[in-house]
């Protein structure tokens, strides 16, 4: 008997005969396209979807066919033809080729992990996963997460989404062939129903920034570890940005301060903004209208923010989309906004944080100067000694005012700690091509451990040159940066 699912969908169970093998109880989700079913068969047989020939009533099963018209019934046996990807066998004595290695070793040899099959307008999800998958500390935190370790504070769907993320990251690391993120997509839609919206029977394109934000928020709730009396979130440690804000009213001279945390900075785009840095400055200033107790009426307040706590990985969203009433959709700002491979945000920090960053920044300059054959300044040596004494008295700090955490990056033989400097290096770019956030195409561009860049266009990883990555800055209909992720440049002290 077929099972009823969400959105009125049904699940059919069929058997599939391929060569001499029969795969029983293969599930078909009739709310999804036959291409998704072919991705499932790829996992079972190793036959890529484009090589699969599945016999149904009336001919071959097409990728975009409607299941209702195909006429597949519960318990039916389907015949599939197609050749699996072959691994070339090397001679007993001779050179070892990449194809002869175990798949996990092939990943190392190739220099990048697998691509992700598009399951029907899921490029927004695939590009988000590829960018976050590039963060080794996030992978480490996921590896430590127990499948049965759900706490009472965490809801079941958040737990399942965390487990699905952990499994998908593991699959990407083990494979060079494309991975079908079926389980992750299913749980993502269950946790956040907006990603399961249908239009004319097909899943709709979604906003990659919304997917990124929702996934990080969920992981911030689940990936916590008890440390003394407080719970530390691995996600907040890695991506959390602290902002100190001053809110004041020019009319009444009222003033207040506020501290908030976020996982991304906004780069606001206007006719004055030509560079990321300018857009970030605009993003840290805003106007809001609220009731003024002194005036007894609504008044305009100015809000100015400064960064008071830095993350290991700085996420920046280009605010390229706005709601256009005439077309009833998110329209896109195509303006070109340049962004650098190296980003220094020292001038966007609070005065207190700037003081903490001064010595690590000088140490970093001296280290980079040594590589160029320059002598370190005497000033930095003496101030470094004084600063270390100050840190010993106050308790160790990672440069953001937070306690240092035991990530692998910080463990060094000399027991020195890695300190943030306010300088960041670009490690991932999520781009969008098209005129609307809910249409077009999303792609991830990710820097690998070997320093090379890979464009992850769904299931197709393509090597790219580093100098071409900063050309994704907009100004036309080509791919343009929507989210940039920078990694902190740290120095031991």
């Amino acid at each position: 008997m077929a099972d009823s699912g969400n959105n009125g969908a049904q699940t059919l169970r069929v058997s599939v005969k391929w060569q001499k093998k029969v795969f029983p109880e293969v599930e078909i989700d009739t709310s999804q396209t036959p291409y998704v079913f072919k991705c499932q068969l790829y996992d079972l047989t190793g036959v890529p979807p484009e090589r699969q020939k599945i016999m149904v009533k009336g001919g071959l099963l097409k990728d975009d066919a409607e299941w209702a018209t195909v006429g597949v019934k519960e318990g039916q046996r389907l015949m599939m033809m197609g050749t699996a990807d072959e691994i070339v066998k090397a001679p007993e004595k001779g050179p070892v080729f990449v194809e002869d290695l175990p798949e996990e070793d092939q990943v190392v040899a190739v220099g990048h992990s697998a691509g992700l099959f598009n399951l029907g307008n899921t490029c927004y999800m695939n590009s988000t996963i590829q960018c976050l998958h590039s963060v080794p500390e996030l992978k480490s935190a996921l590896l430590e997460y127990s499948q049965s370790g759900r706490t009472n504070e965490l809801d079941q769907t958040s737990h399942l989404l965390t487990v699905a993320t952990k499994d998908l990251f593991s699959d990407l690391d083990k494979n060079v062939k494309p991975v079908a993120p079926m389980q992750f997509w299913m749980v993502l839609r269950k946790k956040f129903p907006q990603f399961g919206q249908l239009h004319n029977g097909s899943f709709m394109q979604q906003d990659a920034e919304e997917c990124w934000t929702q996934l990080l928020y969920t992981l911030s709730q689940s990936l916590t570890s008890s440390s003394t009396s407080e719970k530390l979130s691995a996600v907040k440690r890695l991506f959390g940005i602290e902002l100190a804000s001053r809110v004041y009213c020019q009319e009444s001279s009222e003033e207040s301060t506020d501290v908030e945390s976020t996982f991304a900075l906004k780069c606001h785009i206007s006719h004055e903004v030509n560079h990321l840095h300018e857009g970030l400055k605009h993003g840290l200033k805003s106007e809001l209208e609220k009731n003024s107790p002194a005036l007894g009426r609504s008044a305009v307040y100015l809000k100015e923010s400064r960064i008071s706590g830095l993350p290991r990985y700085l996420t920046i969203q280009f605010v390229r989309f706005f709601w256009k009433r005439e077309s009833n959709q998110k329209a896109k700002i195509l303006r070109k906004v340049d962004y650098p491979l190296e980003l220094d945000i020292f001038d966007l920090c609070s005065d207190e944080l700037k003081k903490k960053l001064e010595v690590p920044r000088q140490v970093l300059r001296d280290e980079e100067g040594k590589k160029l054959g320059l002598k370190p300044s005497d000033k930095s040596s003496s101030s470094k000694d004084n600063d270390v004494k100050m840190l010993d008295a106050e308790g160790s700090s990672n440069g953001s005012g937070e306690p240092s955490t035991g990530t692998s990056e910080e463990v060094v033989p000399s027991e020195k700690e890695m300190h943030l400097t306010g300088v960041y290096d670009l490690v991932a770019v999520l781009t969008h091509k098209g005129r609307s956030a809910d249409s077009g195409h999303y792609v991830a561009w990710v820097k690998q451990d070997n320093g090379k860049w890979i464009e992850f266009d769904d299931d197709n990883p393509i090597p790219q040159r580093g100098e071409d990555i900063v050309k994704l800055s907009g100004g036309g209909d080509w791919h343009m940066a929507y989210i940039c992720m920078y990694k902190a440049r740290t120095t031991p002290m």
Side-chain angles (χ1 to χ4, degrees):
M1 178 113 187
D3 296 327
S4 295
N6 295 329
N7 300 320
Q10 283 191 323
T11 300
L12 298 173
R13 292 181 179 85
V14 298
S15 63
V16 179
K17 187 175 188 303
W18 172 66
Q19 295 181 351
K20 295 181 180 180
K21 298 179 182 177
V22 176
F23 300 93
E25 299 289 311
V26 181
E27 291 190 354
I28 298 176
D29 185 345
T30 56
S31 68
Q32 301 175 10
T33 62
Y35 181 76
V36 174
F37 175 58
K38 290 183 178 182
C39 289
Q40 290 175 257
L41 295 180
Y42 171 69
D43 285 342
L44 292 172
T45 65
V47 180
E50 63 272 13
R51 287 194 213 152
Q52 294 178 21
K53 294 182 179 179
I54 301 170
M55 309 302 295
V56 293
K57 186 178 179 181
L60 297 176
L61 180 64
K62 295 182 179 179
D63 291 350
D64 56 353
E66 295 283 344
W67 284 111
T69 58
V70 171
V72 174
K73 298 179 181 178
E74 178 75 12
Q76 183 175 338
R77 173 174 288 192
L78 300 177
M79 299 286 293
M80 186 185 86
M81 295 180 289
T83 336
D85 285 333
E86 294 183 9
I87 294 179
V88 179
K89 293 183 179 180
E92 289 184 13
K93 293 182 181 180
V96 179
F97 297 99
V98 171
E99 294 87 348
D100 303 314
L101 298 171
E103 191 125 10
E104 289 185 50
D105 293 337
Q106 289 186 36
V107 174
V108 177
V110 169
H112 62 78
S113 54
L116 289 163
F117 280 118
N118 191 317
L119 304 178
N121 286 328
T122 58
C123 57
Y124 70 92
M125 179 187 80
N126 290 349
S127 53
T128 296
I129 287 293
Q130 292 290 9
C131 288
L132 295 178
H133 174 253
S134 70
V135 179
E137 297 92 335
L138 181 59
K139 286 196 276 190
S140 297
L142 283 165
L143 283 173
E144 294 174 6
Y145 186 79
S146 171
Q147 297 209 7
S148 57
R150 182 170 74 92
T151 61
N152 293 331
E153 296 86 13
L154 190 68
D155 64 277
Q156 179 67 7
T157 51
S158 293
H159 168 68
L160 292 175
L161 184 57
T162 304
V163 172
T165 307
K166 173 183 177 178
D167 292 343
L168 182 53
F169 277 19
S170 177
D171 287 343
L172 287 173
D173 285 331
K174 292 176 182 176
N175 291 278
V176 288
K177 298 173 186 174
V179 172
M182 294 290 302
Q183 183 66 18
F184 178 87
W185 189 38
M186 183 182 73
V187 180
L188 180 71
R189 285 180 288 144
K190 188 172 183 180
K191 173 67 179 172
F192 302 107
Q194 68 265 34
F195 297 124
Q197 290 177 315
L198 295 170
H199 180 67
N200 294 331
S202 299
F203 285 101
M204 296 173 60
Q205 176 70 286
Q206 300 291 335
D207 189 336
E209 186 273 331
E210 291 180 12
C211 181
W212 183 299
T213 301
Q214 298 285 30
L215 179 56
L216 271 191
Y217 175 76
T218 301
L219 296 179
S220 73
Q221 302 298 304
S222 58
L223 299 180
T224 56
S225 59
S226 297
S227 176
T228 61
S229 61
E230 64 174 342
K231 281 194 171 183
L232 297 175
S233 165
V235 172
K236 185 177 180 182
R237 226 161 46 220
L238 294 171
F239 301 96
I241 306 164
E242 298 293 328
L243 295 174
S245 302
R246 172 177 172 252
V247 182
Y248 62 97
C249 176
Q250 290 181 322
E251 275 191 276
S252 64
S253 298
E254 292 170 281
E255 184 174 320
S256 63
T257 57
D258 187 26
V259 177
E260 57 188 303
S261 59
T262 181
F263 288 138
L265 293 180
K266 307 286 187 183
C267 173
H268 283 262
I269 302 173
S270 68
H271 66 278
E272 301 171 350
V273 173
N274 297 305
H275 193 274
L276 171 62
H277 212 276
E278 297 167 338
L280 289 176
K281 285 183 177 179
H282 279 264
L284 292 173
K285 293 182 180 180
S286 61
E287 285 188 356
L288 55 143
E289 188 173 336
K290 64 176 185 175
N291 183 60
S292 166
L295 299 174
R297 58 174 170 81
S298 182
V300 174
Y301 286 74
L302 299 177
K303 181 179 180 180
E304 294 183 347
S305 302
R306 286 290 178 268
I307 301 169
S308 57
L310 292 172
R312 290 281 170 177
Y313 291 85
L314 178 65
T315 303
I316 297 170
Q317 180 210 349
F318 291 79
V319 186
R320 287 199 172 275
F321 298 105
F322 65 96
W323 189 256
K324 198 171 184 178
R325 289 183 180 178
E326 305 91 83
S327 57
N328 200 34
Q329 66 176 7
K330 291 180 185 176
K332 187 175 181 181
I333 301 170
L334 300 176
R335 182 179 180 82
K336 181 180 180 182
V337 179
D338 291 319
Y339 56 92
L341 290 172
E342 176 190 312
L343 177 67
D344 189 346
I345 57 169
F346 181 77
D347 65 317
L348 304 180
C349 297
S350 64
D351 290 340
E352 184 181 354
L353 180 54
K354 283 180 179 178
K355 289 179 182 177
K356 292 180 179 179
L357 294 176
E358 280 177 358
V359 175
R361 287 170 68 84
Q362 185 59 55
V363 173
L364 180 65
R365 283 193 289 268
D366 287 345
E367 286 176 351
E368 293 176 346
K370 284 179 185 176
K371 295 175 184 177
L372 299 173
L374 303 175
K375 292 182 179 180
S377 64
D378 295 332
K379 180 182 176 182
S380 71
S381 301
S382 59
S383 62
K384 177 180 172 182
D385 292 337
N386 293 334
D387 189 73
V388 170
K389 290 176 184 176
M390 181 189 72
L391 287 174
D392 288 340
E394 295 180 350
S396 62
S397 165
N398 63 12
S400 66
E402 298 178 1
S404 290
T405 57
T407 60
S408 58
E409 189 179 36
E410 294 171 313
V411 180
V412 289
S414 60
E415 295 184 356
K416 292 182 179 179
E417 293 172 359
M418 303 303 290
H419 286 250
L420 301 175
T421 60
V423 179
Y424 287 81
D425 295 301
L426 187 66
V427 291
V429 182
L430 189 154
T431 61
H432 178 265
K433 179 183 179 182
R435 294 287 177 127
S436 169
D438 301 324
S439 63
H441 186 53
Y442 291 98
V443 167
W445 314 68
V446 181
K447 190 176 184 180
Q448 307 301 297
D449 291 338
N450 58 15
K452 296 180 180 178
W453 284 85
I454 298 293
E455 173 193 354
F456 287 97
D457 187 353
D458 287 328
D459 58 326
N460 186 24
I462 309 164
Q464 296 290 346
R465 298 184 306 170
E467 55 266 31
D468 291 335
I469 301 302
V470 291
K471 295 177 182 177
L472 304 166
S473 51
D477 284 330
W478 180 237
H479 282 283
M480 61 187 72
Y482 184 33
I483 298 174
C484 282
M485 186 170 72
Y486 287 84
K487 183 179 181 179
R489 195 180 295 180
T490 57
T491 186
M493 282 176 51

